[in-house]
Amino acid sequence: ELKVEQNPLFLSMQEGKNYTIYCNYSTTSDRLYWYRQDPGKSLESLFVLLSNGAVKQEGRLMASLDTKARLSTLHITAAVHDLSATYFCAVDPGGATNKLIFGTGTLLAVQP
Amino acid sequence: DTEVTQTPKHLVMGMTNKKSLKCEQHMGHRAMYWYKQKAKKPPELMFVYSYEKLSINESVPSRFSPECPNSSLLNLHLHALQPEDSALYLCASSQDGTNYGYTFGSGTRLTVV
């Protein structure tokens, strides 16, 4: 059974600082997705990573995928308050039917 | 149209009621999904339809009954729910191969009283 774990579960950081969220998964996969969720809202797609070594950047966020280590990272550069949200990674384990299995989530609070 | 539309946005129902959640997409996606999300938890997969056929049921209780009338529509019929079934229900769709990711609807906030 695929397990997807994120670290840390809660992150409080100051504006202007850098930090990284880690996503580890337990079985082979080369399809990993990052989502953002604001309180009471749905999931907003941030990044789609489909191969080993994939790196994508959008604004202050950069995501990478290492399929050999079964690890993805979401790096935050010079955090701003607007980035406060819960971030989920999700893995598609492949097989006959595509599906997403979500990580435990990281609640990010950026303090002024 | 690049959206997944879910209705209603909010639903309050009694334990003896029968209600349905609806999900619609017009992106030509061939896979559609139901997820359940409790507060402060990640979404949990419930059902997957692929080419209008049920391909995954994650051991969901029979009081939840999915239906896929056509490639654009996905329903979730609810009957005799329990208060612990209160949650955010999310619908998603994806193109075959998922190279473009999964698109989620805005969700239905369900409260069972």
Side-chain angles (χ1 to χ4, degrees), chain B residues 8-73:
Chain B
K9 293 192 183 306
H10 300 274
L11 178 63
V12 179
M13 62 184 290
M15 290 188 284
T16 59
N17 292 160
K18 287 184 181 180
K19 297 286 185 183
S20 295
L21 309 185
K22 296 184 185 302
C23 175
E24 189 168 2
Q25 58 89 13
H26 295 287
M27 296 176 280
H29 287 177
R30 292 309 186 185
M32 297 186 76
Y33 308 78
W34 281 115
Y35 282 83
K36 173 182 176 180
Q37 186 178 25
K38 302 281 280 184
K40 301 186 188 301
K41 296 291 186 183
E44 294 180 353
L45 182 65
M46 300 175 73
F47 302 104
V48 181
Y49 273 83
S50 180
Y51 292 88
E52 301 171 42
K53 288 184 171 26
L54 181 65
S55 59
I56 294 179
N57 175 345
E58 294 284 10
S59 303
V60 178
S62 59
R63 57 185 183 270
F64 295 91
S65 176
E67 178 195 20
C68 188
N70 60 55
S71 61
S72 299
L73 294 175

Side-chain angles (χ1 to χ4, degrees), chain A residues 6 31 33 35 37 39-45 48 50 56 86 88 91-93 96-105 107, chain B residues 31 33 35 37 40-45 48 50 55-56 58 88 90 94 96-107 109:
Chain A
Q6 288 180 233
R31 296 176 177 175
Y33 307 81
Y35 288 88
Q37 188 174 39
K41 303 293 186 181
S42 186
L43 297 162
E44 175 190 353
S45 178
V48 178
L50 298 176
K56 292 196 175 179
T86 298
F88 290 101
V91 176
D92 183 343
T97 302
N98 295 109
K99 62 185 179 183
L100 279 184
I101 304 301
F102 282 83
T104 43
L107 175 57
Chain B
Y33 308 78
Y35 282 83
Q37 186 178 25
K40 301 186 188 301
K41 296 291 186 183
E44 294 180 353
L45 182 65
V48 181
S50 180
S55 59
I56 294 179
E58 294 284 10
L88 180 66
L90 294 164
S94 71
D96 191 32
T98 67
N99 286 342
Y100 302 100
Y102 296 70
T103 303
F104 282 82
S106 58
R109 177 76 59 188

Side-chain angles (χ1 to χ4, degrees), chain A residues 25 27-30 51-53 65-72:
Chain A
Y25 53 98
T27 63
T28 302
S29 173
D30 56 2
S51 62
N52 185 41
L65 178 61
D66 181 344
T67 59
K68 294 180 181 177
R70 299 178 187 170
L71 171 68
S72 180

